[in-house]
Amino acid sequence: MGKLLGAAELEVSPVVANNAMNRGRRLASYSRELGLDLAGLLPGRRWLDLCCGEGHALAEGAMLGADVTGVDLVDHFAVRPGRNLRLVVAGVPGWRPGERFDLVTVVHGLHYVGDKLRVLADVAGWLNEGGRFVASFDVASVEVPSRRGLVATLRGQGFGYDARAKRIWRTGPAVIEFPYDYLGADDTAGPNYTGQPAVVSYYGS
Ligand SMILES: C[S@@+](CC[C@H](N)C(=O)[O-])C[C@H]1O[C@@H](n2cnc3c(N)ncnc32)[C@H](O)[C@@H]1O
């Protein structure tokens, strides 16, 4: 384990500020990554995408009639905001919306976040009744006293997790308090399953 980093140090880490990471996925790619038919799902829905990158998928969603909010730590947006497309430069956890959503997604973004469990808990509070959350997520990037215990805790709090697809999801809102204390993030762990260097988040209980 390297030195554990706080939020400010993590934001300027070369792993997080890495320009080689893919920020340019389109909506079809988002659908494949998330196992969702987004083109069918999005019309008329309120969609929040965290760690949105350049925003191409969001612009496509807005064109389909979704009301879209994208949030990213850095302004690498390659699309223009519009009446139903908001682009916000902010980090998670920390940023908070003033509304609830029908769909919240994170495509290959949690890999670079420090307190990943805080984001999962926050997002659960931002869903409408019946609202869906789906994200790329690998429990191997979370260091806890027992990883099996973590998966059981996530399932106990209403999250689904697919270890093969590296995906986490939930339906509907909840107030969630995980039984872990966030200790900090390690940006020296090397590549994760995507082949890109990622951030491992450390927790005690
Ligand atoms: C691999 S890119 C994926 C971008 C987009 N979701 C896609 O699939 O095209 C990861 C994105 O997460 C953003 N990011 C990293 N840490 C973040 C944080 N703490 N809060 C918000 N965005 C973050 C990065 O700036 C980057 O744009």
Side-chain angles (χ1 to χ4, degrees):
M1 174 193 12
K3 173 181 169 283
L4 291 184
L5 306 178
E9 293 165 303
L10 192 60
E11 282 190 14
V12 294
S13 151
V15 169
V16 175
N18 175 7
N19 277 333
M21 65 172 71
N22 183 357
R23 292 184 164 87
R25 290 182 183 83
R26 268 56 180 178
L27 198 65
S29 171
Y30 263 42
S31 288
R32 278 193 301 278
E33 295 294 335
L34 299 174
L36 293 175
D37 168 21
L38 285 171
L41 204 63
L42 282 172
R45 302 299 165 113
R46 197 175 286 266
W47 176 28
L48 170 66
D49 186 43
L50 300 175
C51 307
C52 66
E54 294 175 3
H56 296 286
L58 308 189
E60 288 179 68
M63 289 284 289
L64 289 170
D67 186 79
V68 186
T69 303
V71 177
D72 201 288
L73 194 56
V74 291
D75 180 355
H76 280 310
F77 305 132
V79 299
R80 285 176 188 226
R83 190 182 47 80
N84 59 339
L85 173 58
R86 283 166 300 282
L87 299 170
V88 181
V89 179
V92 290
W95 177 82
R96 308 193 78 77
E99 59 191 325
R100 290 182 180 238
F101 299 90
D102 304 310
L103 178 68
V104 180
T105 55
V106 197
V107 177
H108 294 301
L110 288 173
H111 314 322
Y112 309 98
V113 167
D115 191 350
K116 303 183 207 311
L117 298 183
R118 176 78 258 158
V119 173
L120 297 180
D122 283 350
V123 162
W126 303 344
L127 294 172
N128 281 327
E129 286 303 328
R132 295 172 75 175
F133 163 65
V134 190
S136 324
F137 182 66
D138 183 5
V139 284
S141 67
V142 181
E143 277 296 337
V144 282
S146 158
R147 211 166 268 139
R148 194 177 290 190
L150 170 64
V151 173
T153 299
L154 288 169
R155 293 199 167 124
Q157 297 280 5
F159 289 89
Y161 177 64
D162 182 333
R164 198 180 48 81
K166 307 271 190 292
R167 220 180 267 149
I168 190 164
W169 65 89
R170 73 169 293 120
T171 301
V175 177
I176 290 178
E177 199 72 55
F178 286 118
Y180 300 104
D181 293 324
Y182 179 58
L183 302 176
D186 179 13
D187 68 348
T188 66
N192 70 355
Y193 72 99
T194 67
Q196 288 288 316
V199 169
V200 173
S201 309
Y202 278 73
Y203 295 84
S205 54

